[in-house]
C-alpha cells in the first residue's frame, strides 16, 4: 500500500506535467503556447520532491522486506523477488476503479 503514493506522483508527472508546452513561469508569456497551466507549474517542484522522497523510502522498504529478511532467514530470494512484482497492484486497481 505505501507504493501507491510514489506511483500516483509519477502518474501525475507523466499525465499532467510532461504533456505541457511550458516548463517554467517565463514560458507563460509566450503567445504560441496552448497547453500551459500555471497551477501545474506551481505544484510540479513539490510533486517532484515528494516523488523522490517517497520513492527512496519505498525502495528501501522493498529491499528490506524482499532481500534482507529472506537472507536473514536463509530462504531463497527468487520467491520473494517474484512477489515484488505485485507492489504496483493496489495502484493499478485504484486507477482502474477511478
Amino acid at each position: 500500500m505505501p507504493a501507491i503514493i510514489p506511483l500516483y506522483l509519477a502518474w501525475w508527472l507523466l499525465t499532467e506535467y510532461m504533456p505541457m508546452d511550458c516548463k517554467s513561469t517565463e514560458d507563460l508569456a509566450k503567445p504560441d503556447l496552448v497547453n500551459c497551466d500555471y497551477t501545474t507549474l506551481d505544484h510540479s517542484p513539490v510533486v517532484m520532491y515528494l516523488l523522490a522522497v517517497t520513492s527512496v523510502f519505498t525502495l528501501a522498504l522493498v529491499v528490506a522486506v524482499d532481500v534482507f529478511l529472506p537472507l536473514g532467514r536463509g530462504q531463497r530470494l527468487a520467491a520473494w523477488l517474484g512477489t515484488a512484482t505485485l507492489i504496483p497492484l493496489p495502484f493499478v486497481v485504484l486507477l482502474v476503479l477511478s
Side-chain angles (χ1 to χ4, degrees), residues 8-25:
Y8 173 75
L9 294 173
W11 175 80
W12 185 89
L13 282 174
L14 289 174
T15 59
E16 299 290 328
Y17 181 71
M18 293 302 287
M20 286 195 331
D21 295 333
C22 55
K23 298 299 179 198
S24 69
T25 54

Side-chain angles (χ1 to χ4, degrees), residues 9-94:
L9 294 173
W11 175 80
W12 185 89
L13 282 174
L14 289 174
T15 59
E16 299 290 328
Y17 181 71
M18 293 302 287
M20 286 195 331
D21 295 333
C22 55
K23 298 299 179 198
S24 69
T25 54
E26 289 82 24
D27 293 340
L28 291 171
K30 295 180 182 176
D32 59 338
L33 298 178
V34 288
N35 186 18
C36 196
D37 184 21
Y38 179 77
T39 305
T40 303
L41 281 176
D42 188 40
H43 293 153
S44 63
V46 175
V47 171
M48 287 181 203
Y49 173 76
L50 288 174
L51 177 62
V53 170
T54 57
S55 296
V56 167
F57 172 74
T58 305
L59 185 61
L61 191 63
V62 167
V63 168
V65 170
D66 289 338
V67 175
F68 294 138
L69 284 178
L71 285 178
R73 295 178 184 167
Q75 298 173 341
R76 292 183 30 230
L77 290 178
W80 285 86
L81 292 176
T83 59
T85 59
L86 297 175
I87 290 172
L89 188 65
F91 173 75
V92 172
V93 168
L94 290 176

